[in-house]
């Protein structure tokens, strides 16, 4: 550390100042790297010193000899730190792995387009107790407004009325409407069942978008009846069955959020989990919502609460696709998994392709709005990286200083599903013996 002014008292490391310093450092490095790339290189300029020419004026009579030219004229390779912050140039997929990844993401991008079906929206509204939802939202909104007014005349409520509507919907959906399925009960005697594996979907199940069907058998010796558990992907069917696991929960809840006027995203995680994001007009950002856990604005839940390692988190909406992994994986070294499905430039190309496909029919005003939101979100995601670095620096203890208190908080472990099921998926917290293993069941 530099010597401090004796007139000023010493102060401990401040996370906000560190964040500003890191942002300035990243901008400076990026500008220097771009300047170096754009500067032409000539053989005569490869050395940092001019090559002396044999002349009378070149003789040096001072006490120090003239600097000698560098022996190696090859330009030095750029450091990793300079390349890491360079803007990525989108590149189309070429190899088989990248092409398969593109096919997967383009297929997943159609999921939120189903939420725009007017018939489904009407059906969804018919099952929601609107009086209850809007009543709870109004009460919470007034409470937040009163709390803001007590702080000062310019203070704003933390959440707006529409946010309170989604929060009330989340509580009702989790506690009353939908149920989580571990092993479905026997249809004959209601006894517990035992999993037998997967079976072929029937034509009717396929018509309701069930590409996978789990088969179970009753554990009662005198019954031994079979039970099928189709993993439906049709939202209308889920409004009738009202049961499932993560996939069904996120799909149905996202549809209900859209029905009450929310802007929604369906977020896919490569490590076999899905959830919802809802746009908050009050905070001008996308909010993490997991209906399975009744979680609101807690994106670090999966890595720091469940002990889950994550590689890709892609958010799909009717406006396109966005890689939001940085929102959910704050410490890539500790909680990040290998991102080896495609080069990063290819992933940027794929998400840009999906955005172009989804936005081609938007008006100029709407297109301008979503582009502005894209820029704001990218700034938010970069800020998570900078703050993570600042927090890591803040945890370094200098001689004579007490241990620095970081911003970590104990996050809850996963509540949905049985303990055995959570351990098999590596989602039972840091105590799980399988948290480094890939998931073995579908979401």
């Amino acid at each position: 550390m530099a010597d401090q002014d004796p007139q000023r008292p010493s102060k401990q490391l401040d996370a906000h100042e560190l964040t500003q310093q890191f942002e300035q450092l990243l901008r400076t490095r990026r500008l220097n790297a771009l300047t170096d790339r754009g500067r032409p290189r000539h053989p005569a300029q490869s050395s940092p010193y001019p090559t002396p020419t044999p002349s009378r004026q070149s003789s040096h009579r001072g006490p120090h000899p003239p600097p000698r030219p560098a022996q190696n004229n090859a330009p030095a390779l750029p450091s990793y730190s300079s390349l890491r912050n360079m803007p990525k140039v989108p590149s189309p997929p070429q190899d088989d792995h990248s092409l398969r990844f593109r096919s997967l993401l383009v297929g997943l991008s159609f999921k939120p387009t189903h939420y725009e079906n007017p018939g489904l929206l009407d059906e969804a509204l018919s099952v929601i107790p609107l009086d209850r939802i809007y009543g709870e939202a109004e009460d919470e909104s007034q409470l937040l407004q009163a709390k803001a007014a007590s702080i000062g005349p310019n203070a704003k409520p933390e959440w707006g009325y529409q946010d309170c509507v989604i929060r009330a919907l989340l509580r009702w959906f989790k506690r009353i409407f939908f149920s989580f399925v571990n092993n479905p009960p026997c249809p004959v005697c209601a006894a517990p069942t035992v999993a037998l594996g997967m079976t072929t979907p029937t034509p009717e199940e396929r018509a309701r978008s069930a590409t996978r069907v789990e088969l179970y058998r009753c554990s009662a010796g005198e019954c031994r009846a079979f039970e099928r558990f189709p993993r439906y992907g049709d939202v209308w069917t889920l409004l009738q069955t009202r049961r499932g696991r993560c996939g069904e929960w996120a799909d149905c809840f996202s549809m209900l959020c859209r029905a009450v006027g929310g802007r929604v995203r369906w977020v896919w995680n490569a490590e076999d989990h899905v959830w919802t994001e809802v746009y908050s007009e009050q905070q001008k950002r996308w909010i993490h919502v997991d209906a399975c856990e009744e979680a609101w604005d807690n994106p670090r839940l999966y890595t720091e609460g469940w002990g889950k390692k994550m590689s890709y988190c892609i958010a799909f909406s009717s406006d396109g696709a966005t890689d939001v992994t940085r929102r959910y994986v704050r410490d890539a070294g500790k909680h990040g998994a290998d991102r080896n499905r495609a080069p990063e430039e290819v992933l940027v190309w794929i998400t840009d392709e999906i955005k172009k496909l989804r936005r081609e029919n938007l008006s100029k005003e709407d297109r301008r709005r979503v582009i502005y939101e894209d820029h704001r979100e990218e700034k938010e995601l970069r800020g998570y990286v900078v703050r993570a670095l600042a927090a890591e620096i803040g945890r370094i203890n200098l001689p004579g200083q007490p241990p620095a208190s970081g911003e970590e908080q104990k996050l809850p472990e996963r509540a949905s599903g049985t303990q055995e099921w959570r351990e098999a998926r590596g989602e039972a917290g840091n105590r799980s013996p399988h948290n480094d293993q890939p998931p073995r069941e579908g979401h």
Side-chain angles (χ1 to χ4, degrees), residues 136 140 167-176 294:
E136 291 184 7
E140 184 179 19
R167 288 162 61 89
L169 182 69
L170 174 64
R171 292 189 294 268
W172 167 79
F173 188 86
K174 166 70 174 179
R175 303 175 187 181
I176 297 177
E294 200 179 322

Side-chain angles (χ1 to χ4, degrees), residues 32-44:
N32 293 339
L34 290 174
T35 303
D36 293 341
R37 288 180 61 188
R39 183 180 301 161
R41 287 185 174 271
H42 302 286

Side-chain angles (χ1 to χ4, degrees), residues 239-345:
L239 292 175
Q240 315 306 318
T241 61
R242 304 183 182 185
R243 68 173 190 169
R245 299 203 190 104
C246 316
E248 292 89 346
W249 279 69
D251 204 7
C252 190
F253 179 73
S254 299
M255 179 68 195
L256 295 180
C257 290
R258 190 72 188 98
V260 296
R263 293 176 55 196
V264 300
R265 279 173 167 177
W266 180 80
V267 186
W268 168 84
N269 167 237
E271 284 67 43
D272 198 26
H273 191 52
V274 287
W275 59 89
T276 306
E277 284 185 348
V278 179
Y279 190 78
S280 170
E281 294 290 348
Q282 181 76 4
Q283 298 206 9
K284 303 298 181 184
R285 63 183 177 91
W286 289 95
I287 307 298
H288 157 255
V289 189
D290 193 323
C292 277
E293 307 297 306
E294 200 179 322
W296 172 269
D297 196 24
N298 193 5
R300 294 157 51 198
L301 171 69
Y302 310 117
T303 55
E304 301 177 33
W306 297 6
K308 190 177 181 72
K309 292 183 180 292
M310 307 170 77
S311 56
Y312 298 96
C313 300
I314 313 296
F316 299 98
S317 70
S318 59
D319 296 329
T322 305
D323 181 8
V324 294
T325 308
R326 287 170 289 178
R327 178 174 294 130
Y328 299 93
V329 182
R330 305 295 176 87
D331 188 342
K334 184 177 180 180
H335 302 123
D338 293 337
R339 292 168 61 96
N340 52 16
R341 297 203 178 193
E344 296 299 319
E345 295 79 7

